[in-house]
Each structure stands twice: as C-alpha cells, then as structure tokens.
Amino acid sequence: MQLSSASEEAQSTPAVPGTDPATRAWRRSDLVAEQDALFYELIDGAKAEIAAGIGFANANGLTVDTVEQQDFRIPSFARDVPDLRKKLDEERGFFILRGLDPDRWTEPEAEIISWALCNYLGQPMRQGIAQDRRFFTVADKGAANTDPTRIGASPKRSAKHSDNGCLEARPPCYLALYCFRSAVEGGDNTIISARNVYDTIKAERPDLLPLYFHTYDFRAPQAHVWPSRGPTIRKPILEIVGGELHIHYARVMIEPGMEMAGTPLTDQQREALDYLDDVLDRPELNFQYTLKAGEFLVMNNLAGLHGREAFAAGSGGRTLKRFWMWRRHIGPGTDPVALDQEEFA
C-alpha cells in the first residue's frame, strides 16, 4: 500500500458528519449517572410469553436450528424494541437485558430464547458454513481450538475488536452475548465507543488519522470464510457509511492478513495500530461489566469495539451464546432486491 504525502492524506480523511450521534462519544465517567438507562428489564408479560414459546417448541420438537419467527412470539417485548433499537443506533450503542431466570431453562432452551429475542432486534446472521449457523458458543475450547484468530474459543484476554462476519459482504450491525454461565473468576466484558476513539486520535495524533481510513487485509477465521474467496477480506478500520462512523478492527486478523496478501504493514501503519491499541486500553474510555448468568449484552457492532478480560479455564466455566444481526429497519433490511442493489451495484 503506497502512502501519499501528509498534506494529501490530511485532505483524504473523511470528517465525521453531523448526523453521527454526539452521544456516541461517551467516556466511562459519562455512564456513572446513567446506570439505570444501561439496563433493560423484561416485564412479566414477556416472561410469560417466553415460557409459552418454549412450551410450544418442546411440544413440537423444535430446536434452535428449526424454530422460526412465527413459532416464537413475544409481543410484550416487541413493543419495546423500537426504544431498544434507538439505544443501539442513536444513543450509547449498547444495553444489558435482564429478567431471564438462568435456573429455569436448559441450555438448548436458553439458546432458543436468546435467538428469539435477537430475532426481534434484527435479522440473525449465520456465523459458519456447516455449523454455528444461528449462534456461536463462546467458551474455552481448549486444545480443540487451533485457529489463532478465534480468541473467543480460549480463556485468554481478548483485545478490543469488532466481529467482522467474513462470510458476508456486510459485517454484523449488532452483536449480542447471552450469558448462560458466568466465569468463576474474571471474564469481564469491555466496550469502547468508536466515536470517542476517532475524537481521541484526531486530538492527539491527527497525522495518523488518514491511515485508519486505508483498506487493510484481515485474515478471516477458518470457519468464517468461503474457500473460493481466499483467506482474507479487505476493509478499512474507519469509514463513513450513510452518515455513520463505522469501525472494523482486530489486530490479530490484520497483521497476518497483510502478510498473506503480500503487503506487510509499513512502519507508519504499524505505528498507527500500536497507537490505536494504546487508546483502546485506556480505562477512562472503557465500559467494563461482568455479565451474570441470565443477562444479555447487546451492542452496535459498527459503532463500538468490545473485548474480554481473561477468565479461569476449565470445563463448566464461562459460557456465552453469541449472535450476529443485521438491522431490519435501517438500510436494505431483508428485501433481497435491496440487498443485491447494495452489495452488487
């Protein structure tokens, strides 16, 4: 990748438009007075509808792979979905759902419930070709995990990243993590605002800002790529789409991806990524929370990055169900004509 002169690159850096919500640029201190607003509690009516949905699924032998939207209706939750989407699209970009009794549901039942809730927020995306088509179980897979890009399958600390959904032309709009079992120790989830990352870089290192809008090769996880399309996907770290600032990042995917593409990182690019990693680890810019069993973290995957602290390894440990969703209400949604027009125009 050839770099332009500093003046040319400064001119090529897109400005974040006024339509990007200013509420995106939150710091940890901003959230202290907003604790209640960060949580959403299922009402009793929704809990009763969920129980009825599980009863119907069990009576008819439905699983998380065979249940459909028409099989599992939660109208009491549906009434609140517009406000929850607003939290994701216009406000802080995340919320934590509470109210699911972790002791009431088996693991297969919890998978159906969490898929059904996500199905109201957006269109669930597949996460693998032959498996993980509706969700992925985030847990310590031990020696069975041989893919260095899948930190989620280990108990190691997971640095800030976005989920990139390399099977599809578009990454997930939303990410949801349902906690079926919490860690004995550790495993805190962390979130950082992309807008605050952008503002910090612009204030401290404007000379590096253009490099994040360049296109990089990301090494795709082995289970997240079509064999015929090659081992990498190409995208910028920062971009402006439809008036929104989007972020795509995973250092563990970029360095090997650039090597595989035959364009290893330049000294300037490496400096930019090192600086970005420093910004992402600043405690004052991060929200940190330990999910409890039965809680559901939902976030805008385009407007923020997430990570996870290390946790105690071993069987019976921390187990989360991860879901990816496209937004149905913004952009092309589920209309196949609009999808083709966006992705193949």
Side-chain angles (χ1 to χ4, degrees):
M1 183 184 302
Q2 296 297 318
L3 297 180
S4 306
S5 68
S7 61
E8 289 174 335
E9 291 199 358
Q11 294 174 359
S12 68
T13 304
V16 174
T19 53
D20 191 65
T23 50
R24 291 279 192 236
W26 54 264
R27 301 168 71 91
R28 174 181 287 187
S29 58
D30 297 323
L31 305 181
V32 173
E34 301 178 12
Q35 288 297 308
D36 291 343
L38 301 180
F39 296 92
Y40 167 80
E41 187 84 20
L42 285 170
I43 65 172
D44 289 342
K47 296 176 187 178
E49 291 156 3
I50 287 171
I54 286 296
F56 179 84
N58 289 340
N60 292 280
L62 298 176
T63 69
V64 70
D65 292 316
T66 58
V67 67
E68 298 294 346
Q69 177 173 316
Q70 58 269 28
D71 303 324
F72 208 111
R73 311 304 291 272
I74 320 174
S76 296
F77 177 65
R79 286 193 286 271
D80 291 338
V81 165
D83 287 339
L84 294 175
R85 287 174 174 170
K86 185 177 180 181
K87 289 180 182 289
L88 298 173
D89 297 329
E90 301 177 25
E91 298 176 2
R92 296 311 191 190
F94 70 94
F95 65 87
I96 296 167
L97 182 150
R98 291 172 165 171
L100 293 172
D101 184 350
D103 298 321
R104 181 174 183 179
W105 311 113
T106 66
E107 190 164 353
E109 289 171 341
E111 291 167 354
I112 293 175
I113 294 167
S114 47
W115 174 86
L117 290 167
C118 287
N119 188 56
Y120 276 93
L121 294 166
Q123 178 188 351
M125 288 173 58
R126 60 189 167 189
Q127 299 185 42
I129 301 173
Q131 59 186 14
D132 304 330
R133 292 186 59 82
R134 287 195 163 178
F135 70 94
F136 173 73
T137 298
V138 181
D140 177 16
K141 303 295 177 64
N145 176 36
T146 59
D147 188 338
T149 67
R150 303 202 86 175
I151 304 300
S154 80
K156 300 177 183 177
R157 179 180 184 270
S158 178
K160 295 311 176 308
H161 62 281
S162 58
D163 283 8
N164 293 286
C166 305
L167 285 169
E168 316 295 350
R170 294 184 296 151
C173 302
Y174 298 154
L175 161 73
L177 295 169
Y178 173 72
C179 183
F180 178 73
R181 184 182 301 112
S182 58
V184 174
E185 181 181 358
D188 293 11
N189 289 91
T190 54
I191 301 175
I192 192 168
S193 154
R195 178 62 186 267
N196 214 7
V197 171
Y198 173 93
D199 289 346
T200 301
I201 297 170
K202 186 177 180 180
E204 296 180 359
R205 292 297 307 268
D207 58 308
L208 296 179
L209 193 56
L211 278 74
Y212 304 108
F213 288 87
H214 288 172
T215 299
Y216 293 82
D217 279 271
F218 288 61
R219 175 183 173 178
Q222 296 160 5
H224 291 177
V225 64
W226 292 107
S228 64
R229 292 184 181 170
T232 69
I233 59 170
R234 308 192 73 229
K235 61 178 68 179
I237 294 172
L238 293 173
E239 63 177 340
I240 307 298
V241 180
E244 294 181 324
L245 174 68
H246 290 183
I247 191 165
H248 318 286
Y249 189 61
R251 184 73 180 262
V252 72
M253 296 169 69
I254 291 177
E255 290 208 63
M258 295 294 281
E259 293 283 349
M260 295 171 82
T263 55
L265 291 172
T266 66
D267 290 342
Q268 286 178 297
Q269 291 169 337
R270 192 174 300 279
E271 180 186 6
L273 298 192
D274 288 344
Y275 170 73
L276 176 57
D277 288 341
D278 172 74
V279 171
L280 298 180
D281 278 343
R282 297 183 186 180
E284 68 272 17
L285 300 184
N286 278 272
F287 172 78
Q288 186 165 337
Y289 183 78
T290 304
L291 284 173
K292 304 175 183 64
E295 292 185 331
F296 217 147
L297 170 63
V298 186
M299 67 172 287
N300 187 319
N301 183 58
L302 304 175
L305 300 176
H306 64 285
R308 184 205 64 225
E309 298 304 315
F311 63 91
S315 60
R318 182 179 185 270
T319 303
L320 274 62
K321 306 297 178 178
R322 184 185 70 193
F323 296 84
W324 292 343
M325 292 153 280
W326 280 329
R327 293 185 288 199
R328 299 180 188 271
H329 59 295
I330 296 177
T334 57
D335 179 356
V337 174
L339 283 171
D340 282 2
Q341 287 175 339
E342 178 180 273
E343 296 181 0
F344 297 107

mmCIF file of all heavy atoms in Angstrom, residues 70-106:
data_model
loop_
_atom_site.group_PDB
_atom_site.id
_atom_site.type_symbol
_atom_site.label_atom_id
_atom_site.label_comp_id
_atom_site.label_asym_id
_atom_site.label_seq_id
_atom_site.Cartn_x
_atom_site.Cartn_y
_atom_site.Cartn_z
ATOM 1 N N GLN A 70 -42.353 -17.250 13.329
ATOM 2 C CA GLN A 70 -43.780 -17.441 13.593
ATOM 3 C C GLN A 70 -44.041 -18.433 14.734
ATOM 4 O O GLN A 70 -45.161 -18.505 15.242
ATOM 5 C CB GLN A 70 -44.516 -17.900 12.328
ATOM 6 C CG GLN A 70 -43.986 -19.186 11.708
ATOM 7 C CD GLN A 70 -42.909 -18.940 10.669
ATOM 8 O OE1 GLN A 70 -42.183 -17.951 10.735
ATOM 9 N NE2 GLN A 70 -42.829 -19.832 9.688
ATOM 10 N N ASP A 71 -43.013 -19.178 15.148
ATOM 11 C CA ASP A 71 -43.180 -20.155 16.218
ATOM 12 C C ASP A 71 -43.001 -19.557 17.607
ATOM 13 O O ASP A 71 -43.401 -20.163 18.602
ATOM 14 C CB ASP A 71 -42.161 -21.290 16.060
ATOM 15 C CG ASP A 71 -42.264 -21.988 14.719
ATOM 16 O OD1 ASP A 71 -43.397 -22.138 14.230
ATOM 17 O OD2 ASP A 71 -41.214 -22.365 14.152
ATOM 18 N N PHE A 72 -42.349 -18.404 17.685
ATOM 19 C CA PHE A 72 -41.962 -17.887 18.993
ATOM 20 C C PHE A 72 -42.245 -16.389 19.030
ATOM 21 O O PHE A 72 -41.422 -15.580 18.626
ATOM 22 C CB PHE A 72 -40.471 -18.145 19.256
ATOM 23 C CG PHE A 72 -40.119 -18.274 20.707
ATOM 24 C CD1 PHE A 72 -39.734 -19.497 21.234
ATOM 25 C CD2 PHE A 72 -40.163 -17.174 21.554
ATOM 26 C CE1 PHE A 72 -39.394 -19.623 22.577
ATOM 27 C CE2 PHE A 72 -39.836 -17.288 22.887
ATOM 28 C CZ PHE A 72 -39.453 -18.508 23.406
ATOM 29 N N ARG A 73 -43.416 -16.034 19.531
ATOM 30 C CA ARG A 73 -43.851 -14.649 19.528
ATOM 31 C C ARG A 73 -43.761 -14.050 20.932
ATOM 32 O O ARG A 73 -44.199 -14.666 21.913
ATOM 33 C CB ARG A 73 -45.294 -14.530 19.014
ATOM 34 C CG ARG A 73 -45.546 -15.280 17.715
ATOM 35 C CD ARG A 73 -44.588 -14.849 16.608
ATOM 36 N NE ARG A 73 -44.862 -13.484 16.164
ATOM 37 C CZ ARG A 73 -45.729 -13.185 15.200
ATOM 38 N NH1 ARG A 73 -46.415 -14.144 14.589
ATOM 39 N NH2 ARG A 73 -45.923 -11.938 14.841
ATOM 40 N N ILE A 74 -43.196 -12.843 21.020
ATOM 41 C CA ILE A 74 -43.047 -12.140 22.303
ATOM 42 C C ILE A 74 -43.563 -10.717 22.111
ATOM 43 O O ILE A 74 -42.791 -9.750 22.112
ATOM 44 C CB ILE A 74 -41.577 -12.136 22.776
ATOM 45 C CG1 ILE A 74 -40.896 -13.480 22.513
ATOM 46 C CG2 ILE A 74 -41.498 -11.802 24.287
ATOM 47 C CD1 ILE A 74 -39.408 -13.466 22.823
ATOM 48 N N PRO A 75 -44.864 -10.526 21.955
ATOM 49 C CA PRO A 75 -45.392 -9.188 21.656
ATOM 50 C C PRO A 75 -45.107 -8.154 22.738
ATOM 51 O O PRO A 75 -44.950 -6.969 22.441
ATOM 52 C CB PRO A 75 -46.898 -9.429 21.487
ATOM 53 C CG PRO A 75 -47.166 -10.759 22.121
ATOM 54 C CD PRO A 75 -45.923 -11.562 21.950
ATOM 55 N N SER A 76 -45.033 -8.587 23.991
ATOM 56 C CA SER A 76 -44.728 -7.623 25.063
ATOM 57 C C SER A 76 -43.310 -7.074 24.917
ATOM 58 O O SER A 76 -43.038 -5.916 25.268
ATOM 59 C CB SER A 76 -44.894 -8.289 26.435
ATOM 60 O OG SER A 76 -46.235 -8.666 26.651
ATOM 61 N N PHE A 77 -42.399 -7.882 24.413
ATOM 62 C CA PHE A 77 -41.042 -7.426 24.135
ATOM 63 C C PHE A 77 -41.020 -6.586 22.862
ATOM 64 O O PHE A 77 -40.324 -5.566 22.787
ATOM 65 C CB PHE A 77 -40.102 -8.627 23.998
ATOM 66 C CG PHE A 77 -38.685 -8.271 23.638
ATOM 67 C CD1 PHE A 77 -37.889 -7.551 24.506
ATOM 68 C CD2 PHE A 77 -38.143 -8.680 22.424
ATOM 69 C CE1 PHE A 77 -36.573 -7.227 24.177
ATOM 70 C CE2 PHE A 77 -36.838 -8.368 22.087
ATOM 71 C CZ PHE A 77 -36.045 -7.637 22.958
ATOM 72 N N ALA A 78 -41.795 -6.999 21.869
ATOM 73 C CA ALA A 78 -41.822 -6.287 20.593
ATOM 74 C C ALA A 78 -42.178 -4.819 20.771
ATOM 75 O O ALA A 78 -41.661 -3.947 20.056
ATOM 76 C CB ALA A 78 -42.810 -6.954 19.639
ATOM 77 N N ARG A 79 -43.053 -4.523 21.732
ATOM 78 C CA ARG A 79 -43.458 -3.136 21.949
ATOM 79 C C ARG A 79 -42.291 -2.251 22.385
ATOM 80 O O ARG A 79 -42.291 -1.035 22.159
ATOM 81 C CB ARG A 79 -44.584 -3.073 22.992
ATOM 82 C CG ARG A 79 -45.933 -3.543 22.457
ATOM 83 C CD ARG A 79 -47.051 -3.172 23.414
ATOM 84 N NE ARG A 79 -47.058 -4.014 24.610
ATOM 85 C CZ ARG A 79 -47.716 -5.174 24.698
ATOM 86 N NH1 ARG A 79 -48.419 -5.616 23.672
ATOM 87 N NH2 ARG A 79 -47.679 -5.878 25.811
ATOM 88 N N ASP A 80 -41.290 -2.853 23.013
ATOM 89 C CA ASP A 80 -40.144 -2.086 23.498
ATOM 90 C C ASP A 80 -38.978 -2.056 22.508
ATOM 91 O O ASP A 80 -38.006 -1.319 22.729
ATOM 92 C CB ASP A 80 -39.642 -2.665 24.830
ATOM 93 C CG ASP A 80 -40.631 -2.440 25.967
ATOM 94 O OD1 ASP A 80 -41.456 -1.515 25.844
ATOM 95 O OD2 ASP A 80 -40.565 -3.193 26.952
ATOM 96 N N VAL A 81 -39.046 -2.863 21.455
ATOM 97 C CA VAL A 81 -37.923 -2.971 20.524
ATOM 98 C C VAL A 81 -37.562 -1.637 19.863
ATOM 99 O O VAL A 81 -36.370 -1.325 19.722
ATOM 100 C CB VAL A 81 -38.184 -4.078 19.479
ATOM 101 C CG1 VAL A 81 -37.225 -3.962 18.294
ATOM 102 C CG2 VAL A 81 -38.043 -5.452 20.139
ATOM 103 N N PRO A 82 -38.521 -0.803 19.428
ATOM 104 C CA PRO A 82 -38.108 0.488 18.843
ATOM 105 C C PRO A 82 -37.232 1.321 19.780
ATOM 106 O O PRO A 82 -36.263 1.940 19.334
ATOM 107 C CB PRO A 82 -39.451 1.171 18.552
ATOM 108 C CG PRO A 82 -40.392 0.027 18.303
ATOM 109 C CD PRO A 82 -39.978 -1.021 19.290
ATOM 110 N N ASP A 83 -37.570 1.333 21.071
ATOM 111 C CA ASP A 83 -36.748 2.084 22.022
ATOM 112 C C ASP A 83 -35.370 1.440 22.199
ATOM 113 O O ASP A 83 -34.363 2.140 22.351
ATOM 114 C CB ASP A 83 -37.440 2.175 23.376
ATOM 115 C CG ASP A 83 -38.621 3.139 23.370
ATOM 116 O OD1 ASP A 83 -38.668 4.013 22.481
ATOM 117 O OD2 ASP A 83 -39.504 3.006 24.237
ATOM 118 N N LEU A 84 -35.322 0.113 22.170
ATOM 119 C CA LEU A 84 -34.038 -0.572 22.304
ATOM 120 C C LEU A 84 -33.167 -0.336 21.073
ATOM 121 O O LEU A 84 -31.949 -0.157 21.190
ATOM 122 C CB LEU A 84 -34.270 -2.072 22.530
ATOM 123 C CG LEU A 84 -34.958 -2.430 23.846
ATOM 124 C CD1 LEU A 84 -35.244 -3.926 23.913
ATOM 125 C CD2 LEU A 84 -34.111 -1.987 25.043
ATOM 126 N N ARG A 85 -33.781 -0.331 19.898
ATOM 127 C CA ARG A 85 -33.021 -0.014 18.685
ATOM 128 C C ARG A 85 -32.480 1.408 18.745
ATOM 129 O O ARG A 85 -31.367 1.687 18.267
ATOM 130 C CB ARG A 85 -33.903 -0.198 17.455
ATOM 131 C CG ARG A 85 -34.191 -1.654 17.105
ATOM 132 C CD ARG A 85 -35.191 -1.736 15.969
ATOM 133 N NE ARG A 85 -35.380 -3.115 15.512
ATOM 134 C CZ ARG A 85 -36.345 -3.482 14.670
ATOM 135 N NH1 ARG A 85 -37.208 -2.579 14.214
ATOM 136 N NH2 ARG A 85 -36.452 -4.739 14.299
ATOM 137 N N LYS A 86 -33.241 2.312 19.324
ATOM 138 C CA LYS A 86 -32.773 3.686 19.469
ATOM 139 C C LYS A 86 -31.534 3.738 20.359
ATOM 140 O O LYS A 86 -30.587 4.492 20.084
ATOM 141 C CB LYS A 86 -33.887 4.559 20.045
ATOM 142 C CG LYS A 86 -33.533 6.038 20.131
ATOM 143 C CD LYS A 86 -34.713 6.860 20.636
ATOM 144 C CE LYS A 86 -34.338 8.343 20.709
ATOM 145 N NZ LYS A 86 -35.458 9.168 21.220
ATOM 146 N N LYS A 87 -31.544 2.943 21.431
ATOM 147 C CA LYS A 87 -30.355 2.871 22.284
ATOM 148 C C LYS A 87 -29.136 2.439 21.484
ATOM 149 O O LYS A 87 -28.020 2.938 21.685
ATOM 150 C CB LYS A 87 -30.572 1.884 23.435
ATOM 151 C CG LYS A 87 -31.541 2.342 24.520
ATOM 152 C CD LYS A 87 -31.673 1.276 25.587
ATOM 153 C CE LYS A 87 -32.675 1.677 26.673
ATOM 154 N NZ LYS A 87 -32.140 2.756 27.525
ATOM 155 N N LEU A 88 -29.334 1.489 20.574
ATOM 156 C CA LEU A 88 -28.231 0.953 19.788
ATOM 157 C C LEU A 88 -27.799 1.902 18.678
ATOM 158 O O LEU A 88 -26.595 2.039 18.404
ATOM 159 C CB LEU A 88 -28.635 -0.391 19.176
ATOM 160 C CG LEU A 88 -28.962 -1.509 20.169
ATOM 161 C CD1 LEU A 88 -29.519 -2.726 19.434
ATOM 162 C CD2 LEU A 88 -27.732 -1.908 20.973
ATOM 163 N N ASP A 89 -28.754 2.556 18.025
ATOM 164 C CA ASP A 89 -28.457 3.331 16.823
ATOM 165 C C ASP A 89 -28.201 4.808 17.072
ATOM 166 O O ASP A 89 -27.485 5.447 16.303
ATOM 167 C CB ASP A 89 -29.617 3.209 15.824
ATOM 168 C CG ASP A 89 -29.833 1.791 15.341
ATOM 169 O OD1 ASP A 89 -28.845 1.045 15.260
ATOM 170 O OD2 ASP A 89 -30.991 1.436 15.051
ATOM 171 N N GLU A 90 -28.778 5.361 18.147
ATOM 172 C CA GLU A 90 -28.711 6.801 18.346
ATOM 173 C C GLU A 90 -28.124 7.206 19.686
ATOM 174 O O GLU A 90 -27.718 8.358 19.857
ATOM 175 C CB GLU A 90 -30.114 7.417 18.215
ATOM 176 C CG GLU A 90 -30.778 7.164 16.873
ATOM 177 C CD GLU A 90 -32.192 7.718 16.822
ATOM 178 O OE1 GLU A 90 -32.478 8.667 17.585
ATOM 179 O OE2 GLU A 90 -32.994 7.210 16.029
ATOM 180 N N GLU A 91 -28.091 6.287 20.635
ATOM 181 C CA GLU A 91 -27.628 6.649 21.975
ATOM 182 C C GLU A 91 -26.279 5.989 22.257
ATOM 183 O O GLU A 91 -25.392 6.058 21.417
ATOM 184 C CB GLU A 91 -28.721 6.302 22.989
ATOM 185 C CG GLU A 91 -30.004 7.098 22.723
ATOM 186 C CD GLU A 91 -31.167 6.738 23.627
ATOM 187 O OE1 GLU A 91 -30.997 5.875 24.517
ATOM 188 O OE2 GLU A 91 -32.264 7.310 23.442
ATOM 189 N N ARG A 92 -26.103 5.388 23.403
ATOM 190 C CA ARG A 92 -24.774 4.899 23.789
ATOM 191 C C ARG A 92 -24.287 3.704 22.971
ATOM 192 O O ARG A 92 -23.107 3.391 22.958
ATOM 193 C CB ARG A 92 -24.769 4.547 25.276
ATOM 194 C CG ARG A 92 -25.010 5.732 26.207
ATOM 195 C CD ARG A 92 -24.136 6.916 25.892
ATOM 196 N NE ARG A 92 -24.204 7.944 26.939
ATOM 197 C CZ ARG A 92 -23.686 9.155 26.819
ATOM 198 N NH1 ARG A 92 -23.088 9.507 25.687
ATOM 199 N NH2 ARG A 92 -23.769 10.022 27.808
ATOM 200 N N GLY A 93 -25.208 3.019 22.304
ATOM 201 C CA GLY A 93 -24.785 1.931 21.426
ATOM 202 C C GLY A 93 -24.799 0.560 22.059
ATOM 203 O O GLY A 93 -24.383 -0.415 21.428
ATOM 204 N N PHE A 94 -25.314 0.437 23.292
ATOM 205 C CA PHE A 94 -25.402 -0.877 23.919
ATOM 206 C C PHE A 94 -26.394 -0.827 25.069
ATOM 207 O O PHE A 94 -26.737 0.236 25.582
ATOM 208 C CB PHE A 94 -24.032 -1.355 24.421
ATOM 209 C CG PHE A 94 -23.507 -0.596 25.608
ATOM 210 C CD1 PHE A 94 -23.723 -1.050 26.903
ATOM 211 C CD2 PHE A 94 -22.779 0.584 25.435
ATOM 212 C CE1 PHE A 94 -23.236 -0.359 28.001
ATOM 213 C CE2 PHE A 94 -22.292 1.288 26.535
ATOM 214 C CZ PHE A 94 -22.519 0.812 27.811
ATOM 215 N N PHE A 95 -26.862 -2.003 25.468
ATOM 216 C CA PHE A 95 -27.659 -2.144 26.684
ATOM 217 C C PHE A 95 -27.506 -3.572 27.187
ATOM 218 O O PHE A 95 -27.032 -4.458 26.466
ATOM 219 C CB PHE A 95 -29.140 -1.796 26.447
ATOM 220 C CG PHE A 95 -29.872 -2.727 25.513
ATOM 221 C CD1 PHE A 95 -30.470 -3.888 25.974
ATOM 222 C CD2 PHE A 95 -29.949 -2.431 24.159
ATOM 223 C CE1 PHE A 95 -31.140 -4.745 25.116
ATOM 224 C CE2 PHE A 95 -30.616 -3.287 23.286
ATOM 225 C CZ PHE A 95 -31.212 -4.437 23.767
ATOM 226 N N ILE A 96 -27.901 -3.789 28.436
ATOM 227 C CA ILE A 96 -27.850 -5.122 29.042
ATOM 228 C C ILE A 96 -29.271 -5.519 29.419
ATOM 229 O O ILE A 96 -29.942 -4.805 30.175
ATOM 230 C CB ILE A 96 -26.928 -5.139 30.266
ATOM 231 C CG1 ILE A 96 -25.488 -4.831 29.836
ATOM 232 C CG2 ILE A 96 -26.990 -6.499 30.980
ATOM 233 C CD1 ILE A 96 -24.546 -4.524 30.973
ATOM 234 N N LEU A 97 -29.732 -6.619 28.866
ATOM 235 C CA LEU A 97 -31.077 -7.129 29.133
ATOM 236 C C LEU A 97 -31.031 -8.049 30.339
ATOM 237 O O LEU A 97 -30.150 -8.911 30.443
ATOM 238 C CB LEU A 97 -31.601 -7.855 27.899
ATOM 239 C CG LEU A 97 -33.023 -8.433 27.943
ATOM 240 C CD1 LEU A 97 -33.629 -8.439 26.538
ATOM 241 C CD2 LEU A 97 -33.051 -9.852 28.510
ATOM 242 N N ARG A 98 -32.001 -7.875 31.222
ATOM 243 C CA ARG A 98 -32.113 -8.699 32.421
ATOM 244 C C ARG A 98 -33.518 -9.293 32.507
ATOM 245 O O ARG A 98 -34.429 -8.853 31.826
ATOM 246 C CB ARG A 98 -31.855 -7.858 33.674
ATOM 247 C CG ARG A 98 -30.438 -7.385 33.860
ATOM 248 C CD ARG A 98 -30.326 -6.411 35.021
ATOM 249 N NE ARG A 98 -28.966 -6.205 35.450
ATOM 250 C CZ ARG A 98 -28.591 -5.281 36.333
ATOM 251 N NH1 ARG A 98 -29.501 -4.499 36.897
ATOM 252 N NH2 ARG A 98 -27.339 -5.156 36.679
ATOM 253 N N GLY A 99 -33.678 -10.268 33.375
ATOM 254 C CA GLY A 99 -35.001 -10.809 33.650
ATOM 255 C C GLY A 99 -35.184 -12.260 33.269
ATOM 256 O O GLY A 99 -36.218 -12.862 33.580
ATOM 257 N N LEU A 100 -34.205 -12.869 32.579
ATOM 258 C CA LEU A 100 -34.289 -14.292 32.248
ATOM 259 C C LEU A 100 -33.749 -15.103 33.422
ATOM 260 O O LEU A 100 -32.625 -14.874 33.866
ATOM 261 C CB LEU A 100 -33.485 -14.596 30.983
ATOM 262 C CG LEU A 100 -34.025 -13.988 29.685
ATOM 263 C CD1 LEU A 100 -33.039 -14.196 28.540
ATOM 264 C CD2 LEU A 100 -35.376 -14.616 29.331
ATOM 265 N N ASP A 101 -34.529 -16.022 33.907
ATOM 266 C CA ASP A 101 -34.137 -16.848 35.047
ATOM 267 C C ASP A 101 -33.147 -17.913 34.576
ATOM 268 O O ASP A 101 -33.527 -18.839 33.846
ATOM 269 C CB ASP A 101 -35.372 -17.515 35.656
ATOM 270 C CG ASP A 101 -35.046 -18.323 36.901
ATOM 271 O OD1 ASP A 101 -33.852 -18.520 37.196
ATOM 272 O OD2 ASP A 101 -35.990 -18.775 37.570
ATOM 273 N N PRO A 102 -31.872 -17.827 34.965
ATOM 274 C CA PRO A 102 -30.878 -18.780 34.458
ATOM 275 C C PRO A 102 -31.082 -20.200 34.953
ATOM 276 O O PRO A 102 -30.576 -21.149 34.353
ATOM 277 C CB PRO A 102 -29.550 -18.203 34.973
ATOM 278 C CG PRO A 102 -29.929 -17.446 36.199
ATOM 279 C CD PRO A 102 -31.288 -16.870 35.913
ATOM 280 N N ASP A 103 -31.821 -20.357 36.046
ATOM 281 C CA ASP A 103 -32.030 -21.696 36.604
ATOM 282 C C ASP A 103 -33.270 -22.387 36.039
ATOM 283 O O ASP A 103 -33.468 -23.585 36.265
ATOM 284 C CB ASP A 103 -32.162 -21.602 38.131
ATOM 285 C CG ASP A 103 -30.902 -21.054 38.782
ATOM 286 O OD1 ASP A 103 -29.804 -21.414 38.327
ATOM 287 O OD2 ASP A 103 -31.027 -20.261 39.737
ATOM 288 N N ARG A 104 -34.074 -21.634 35.298
ATOM 289 C CA ARG A 104 -35.329 -22.218 34.806
ATOM 290 C C ARG A 104 -35.153 -22.975 33.493
ATOM 291 O O ARG A 104 -35.866 -23.946 33.234
ATOM 292 C CB ARG A 104 -36.368 -21.109 34.631
ATOM 293 C CG ARG A 104 -37.719 -21.625 34.147
ATOM 294 C CD ARG A 104 -38.758 -20.531 34.128
ATOM 295 N NE ARG A 104 -40.057 -21.042 33.725
ATOM 296 C CZ ARG A 104 -41.166 -20.306 33.638
ATOM 297 N NH1 ARG A 104 -41.107 -19.002 33.933
ATOM 298 N NH2 ARG A 104 -42.306 -20.852 33.267
ATOM 299 N N TRP A 105 -34.198 -22.520 32.675
ATOM 300 C CA TRP A 105 -34.100 -23.044 31.314
ATOM 301 C C TRP A 105 -32.866 -23.908 31.120
ATOM 302 O O TRP A 105 -31.787 -23.615 31.635
ATOM 303 C CB TRP A 105 -34.060 -21.884 30.310
ATOM 304 C CG TRP A 105 -35.139 -20.864 30.534
ATOM 305 C CD1 TRP A 105 -34.993 -19.572 30.931
ATOM 306 C CD2 TRP A 105 -36.554 -21.077 30.397
ATOM 307 N NE1 TRP A 105 -36.203 -18.956 31.055
ATOM 308 C CE2 TRP A 105 -37.187 -19.858 30.726
ATOM 309 C CE3 TRP A 105 -37.346 -22.167 30.028
ATOM 310 C CZ2 TRP A 105 -38.566 -19.692 30.701
ATOM 311 C CZ3 TRP A 105 -38.712 -22.012 29.996
ATOM 312 C CH2 TRP A 105 -39.315 -20.797 30.331
ATOM 313 N N THR A 106 -33.033 -24.996 30.372
ATOM 314 C CA THR A 106 -31.889 -25.806 29.980
ATOM 315 C C THR A 106 -31.060 -25.024 28.963
ATOM 316 O O THR A 106 -31.506 -23.998 28.433
ATOM 317 C CB THR A 106 -32.341 -27.125 29.344
ATOM 318 O OG1 THR A 106 -33.010 -26.833 28.099
ATOM 319 C CG2 THR A 106 -33.279 -27.899 30.266
#
